[in-house]
Amino acid sequence: MSSTLTIYDQYRNPLSSRYASQEMSFNFSETKKFSTWRKLWTFLAKAEKELNLPITDEQIAEMEANWDNIDFNRATKEERETRHDVMAHVRTFAVVCPLAAPIIHLGATSCYVGDNTDLIVLRDGFDILLPKIARCIHRLSKFAMEYKDQPTLGFTHLQPAQLVTVGKRACLWIQDLVMDERAISRARDDLRFRGVKGTTGTQASFLQLFEGDGEKVKKLDALVTKMAGFYSSYAVCGQTYSRKVDVECLNALASLGATAHKICTDIRLLANMKELEEPFEKNQIGSSAMPYKRNPMRSERCCALARHLMALPANTLNTAATQWMERTLDDSANRRISLGEAFLAADGILMTLQNITEGLVVYPSVINRHIAQELPFMASENIIMAMVKAGGNRQECHEEIRQHSIAAGNRVKQDGLDNDMVERIKSSAYFAPIHSQIDALLDPSTFIGRAPQQVEEFLESEVDPILKKYEGKLEGTVSLTI
């Protein structure tokens, strides 16, 4: 093997190289992480200066000018020598900030930059995801309105049940996404800053720095928290913020994964029935061996990523459960993987789901054929009632219907033929009094209840208020590169 490895000679996480957006990948990048560390060191210095510690404007200006001037090779070398990532970057930052070197990281512990940066990244990650959830809701809402009146077979136990409409079923998908938007918004808004708390959360180092002035320590915490864009910091913490925060964040994302899996499983099942399809491009190949295949690969991708996303909260639960006393470092390696992968997986899911919802194709003729095969059975009670109104005996009519149903069912199941129950009833002398009513009694639109009105009412009361929050962020389409 060559001594110089290219990107193709090394493992690359498919979430960043294949599925997630550049925006989300950058959010969890080393550039974002370490430039944020430098901003946090600057915020700390500015706040300490404001509270009369001997820090100069020149030192702060020097730090601000070098937020993005990161020598990653030097930092890597320093970390090899020190076995400490924060000190490696303190030293690397100090090289380009010689004036500020004496006051970088003054009074702070590693988690000041580490945990506070994680909280910023989590917040920013949610801010990337939330408009994408809204876009999926928006696309499906338009779809639901377009097909609010289109009858289709409902299914319980994956067996034909009473009719619903295509739009009403879409509202079930939307309702789960609305719940996800609320849960993720809540997780985002519940985030606080770790702030300036010191090595075990007692702020002892800062109390010493300010010669016992507790009010200045509180003010320092508040100033840095505000500079970082948070409204408040956690009142108590150990060396780290509580790892229960990670649990809450990933639980919300995993729930989104369950929603996407359910939606896309429905689409895959409906594609098998040829009632509905996800977008299929002109030059897309469904199978290398079977040219006729139109595989629902986008929906399958969503399901695959969703399964990974739904498994990740177990990591955060185990980490939260094993943080002895004020903290242990066995959280670090796990969180480097699980937090980023959860957000990148959610991002990839939402991009794919948006692409699907922008190009769903419905086949009403197939839907109507499936209805025609089942509706005669479902209409039995309507036919009985019509016969009774025409002077018939309910019990006699029930037996006539039962015999025709058995015969028609055997024809479908044993001979593989179409359901001919309607023809049997139309040719039966017993049902002659209502022959003229049969077609009206079998009109699918009379079997869908209030489904169209439910679609309208749901979208107005539940969906429109959500979408108003994202005005100006709902436009644009997603074109999947792979």
Side-chain angles (χ1 to χ4, degrees):
M1 182 180 292
S2 170
S3 59
T4 304
L5 297 178
T6 70
I7 60 171
Y8 302 106
D9 300 318
Q10 305 170 67
Y11 174 76
R12 291 189 293 162
N13 191 316
L15 290 171
S16 57
S17 65
R18 191 175 181 90
Y19 300 124
S21 65
Q22 291 182 358
E23 185 181 21
M24 187 63 81
S25 292
F26 177 78
N27 190 52
F28 285 88
S29 69
E30 293 193 352
T31 296
K32 169 73 176 278
K33 176 179 179 178
F34 297 126
S35 64
T36 303
W37 283 13
R38 294 185 172 193
K39 291 176 184 176
L40 288 169
W41 282 319
T42 307
F43 296 160
L44 180 61
K46 290 176 72 173
E48 289 173 338
K49 177 182 181 297
E50 186 171 332
L51 293 169
N52 300 319
L53 288 186
I55 296 172
T56 67
D57 290 337
E58 289 75 19
Q59 288 173 312
I60 291 171
E62 185 180 58
M63 295 169 76
E64 290 177 335
N66 286 283
W67 284 350
D68 300 315
N69 181 23
I70 303 172
D71 186 341
F72 286 100
N73 291 329
R74 185 183 188 96
T76 300
K77 181 181 177 182
E78 291 279 3
E79 187 172 354
R80 281 200 207 99
E81 294 177 359
T82 63
R83 311 302 297 176
H84 198 287
D85 57 349
V86 174
M87 283 309 302
H89 278 271
V90 168
R91 292 182 178 184
T92 301
F93 195 22
V95 169
V96 293
C97 298
L99 290 177
I103 54 92
I104 293 173
H105 200 67
L106 182 60
T109 187
S110 298
C111 286
Y112 166 69
V113 288
D115 271 36
N116 282 324
T117 292
D118 287 345
L119 290 162
I120 290 170
V121 168
L122 292 176
R123 179 197 63 192
D124 293 352
F126 282 140
D127 287 342
I128 293 170
L129 293 178
L130 283 165
K132 293 183 178 182
I133 298 173
R135 288 180 204 128
C136 291
I137 293 172
H138 178 249
R139 304 319 188 255
L140 281 173
S141 296
K142 293 170 67 175
F143 177 84
M145 278 299 292
E146 182 177 357
Y147 292 100
K148 66 179 181 179
D149 299 308
Q150 172 62 56
T152 189
L153 285 175
F155 286 86
T156 59
H157 312 275
L158 202 54
Q159 303 300 312
Q162 287 188 350
L163 300 190
V164 295
T165 68
V166 172
K168 168 65 164 46
R169 177 178 287 141
C171 285
L172 299 180
W173 303 339
I174 297 168
Q175 180 171 244
D176 288 352
L177 285 170
V178 166
M179 293 174 68
D180 292 320
E181 191 279 337
R182 289 172 179 160
I184 291 174
S185 290
R186 183 166 55 248
R188 189 257 185 234
D189 293 343
D190 282 349
L191 288 173
R192 300 185 191 180
F193 205 49
R194 179 190 177 273
V196 181
K197 297 296 195 298
T199 55
T200 57
T202 65
Q203 299 177 306
S205 59
F206 294 103
L207 193 63
Q208 183 178 6
L209 195 62
F210 287 102
E211 299 179 347
D213 191 336
E215 288 304 313
K216 281 192 173 182
V217 175
K218 289 172 62 177
K219 182 66 173 176
L220 179 73
D221 198 5
L223 286 170
V224 175
T225 296
K226 185 177 180 180
M227 290 180 197
F230 285 81
Y231 292 108
S232 62
S233 64
Y234 294 108
V236 296
C237 66
Q239 189 170 89
T240 69
Y241 67 79
S242 171
R243 295 312 185 214
K244 286 278 286 184
V245 174
D246 296 342
V247 172
E248 292 185 350
C249 291
L250 264 65
N251 277 345
L253 296 182
S255 186
L256 170 66
T259 295
H261 200 298
K262 198 278 182 190
I263 294 171
C264 291
T265 298
D266 283 356
I267 292 172
R268 293 164 67 188
L269 293 170
L270 292 167
N272 172 262
M273 297 161 59
K274 296 181 173 58
E275 291 190 0
L276 181 148
E277 280 183 346
E278 65 178 35
F280 198 90
E281 295 167 15
K282 180 180 178 181
N283 296 320
Q284 183 175 332
I285 296 174
S287 168
S288 60
M290 297 167 281
Y292 60 89
K293 294 290 289 294
R294 292 173 68 92
N295 300 331
M297 53 81 65
R298 292 168 172 81
S299 296
E300 290 171 317
R301 175 184 296 180
C302 278
C303 290
L305 293 175
R307 282 201 298 275
H308 179 61
L309 177 54
M310 289 187 286
L312 289 173
N315 285 337
T316 59
L317 287 164
N318 281 304
T319 295
T322 56
Q323 284 300 286
W324 306 341
M325 313 305 178
E326 277 63 50
R327 79 86 54 97
T328 63
L329 194 59
D330 61 357
D331 64 338
S332 178
N334 186 289
R335 294 175 69 253
R336 289 175 193 266
I337 299 168
S338 58
L339 296 185
E341 288 197 355
F343 278 82
L344 267 69
D347 190 62
I349 288 168
L350 289 171
M351 290 174 63
T352 308
L353 186 60
Q354 181 182 336
N355 179 265
I356 292 170
T357 57
E358 288 172 348
L360 286 173
V361 180
V362 177
Y363 295 105
S365 296
V366 178
I367 291 173
N368 292 336
R369 178 160 58 84
H370 291 161
I371 291 174
Q373 292 172 350
E374 301 293 339
L375 192 58
F377 298 136
M378 299 176 192
S380 298
E381 186 64 23
N382 290 11
I383 293 171
I384 291 172
M385 296 305 295
M387 277 295 295
V388 170
K389 288 180 181 179
N393 179 287
R394 187 194 183 282
Q395 280 63 44
E396 291 178 359
C397 184
H398 184 279
E399 181 60 21
E400 288 285 334
I401 289 283
R402 191 179 72 85
Q403 292 295 335
H404 286 309
S405 296
I406 291 171
N410 287 338
R411 173 183 165 89
V412 172
K413 295 176 182 178
Q414 296 179 9
D415 302 329
L417 301 175
D418 289 338
N419 185 339
D420 67 344
M421 184 173 164
V422 174
E423 286 71 21
R424 289 174 180 273
I425 291 174
K426 284 184 174 180
S427 63
S428 169
Y430 178 83
F431 291 101
I434 63 167
H435 279 171
S436 63
Q437 302 177 45
I438 295 298
D439 289 340
L441 291 171
L442 292 169
D443 180 357
S445 66
T446 66
F447 287 80
I448 59 176
R450 295 189 66 253
Q453 292 75 30
Q454 286 181 341
V455 171
E456 294 174 350
E457 292 162 4
F458 169 71
L459 295 180
E460 181 179 0
S461 63
E462 299 288 336
V463 176
D464 288 350
I466 295 287
L467 296 181
K468 284 181 180 178
K469 294 165 51 179
Y470 299 94
E471 286 181 358
K473 298 181 180 180
L474 298 176
E475 301 308 315
T477 59
V478 169
S479 178
L480 300 180
T481 56
I482 297 178

